[in-house]
Amino acid sequence: MNIKIKKDQIFYTISVLDNGEGFDPSKLPDNSLGLSIVDKIIKEKLGGNLYIDSSHKGTTISFDFKFQ
């Protein structure tokens, strides 16, 4: 697992990467709240975005938000 934090002039971007099996984000069970809650918090509290990139080679979950 790797964690990356990047800052440019407008945004912070935080990424968590692993080399596991990956998963299909569109096929999460209806009772799976974890990523839904994270997405909601990032949008409502930070004005940012959540990104999920997953394949059989691993998963990267990133989010960005503006800093003030």
Side-chain angles (χ1 to χ4, degrees):
M1 177 181 290
N2 292 313
I3 298 173
K4 296 181 180 181
I5 300 172
K6 179 182 164 187
K7 177 184 170 192
D8 64 21
Q9 293 181 353
I10 300 172
F11 291 98
Y12 280 108
T13 302
I14 300 174
S15 301
V16 179
L17 304 85
D18 74 20
N19 61 352
E21 297 177 14
F23 66 97
D24 184 346
S26 68
K27 294 184 179 179
L28 291 174
D30 290 337
N31 62 351
S32 176
L33 297 176
L35 290 174
S36 298
I37 291 171
V38 170
D39 185 44
K40 183 176 179 174
I41 291 169
I42 291 168
K43 285 180 179 167
E44 292 180 3
K45 302 293 184 186
L46 300 175
N49 296 293
L50 176 70
Y51 307 96
I52 301 170
D53 181 26
S54 189
S55 73
H56 66 279
K57 295 182 179 181
T59 301
T60 301
I61 298 178
S62 302
F63 66 93
D64 60 17
F65 59 94
K66 290 183 182 180
F67 60 94
Q68 300 176 0

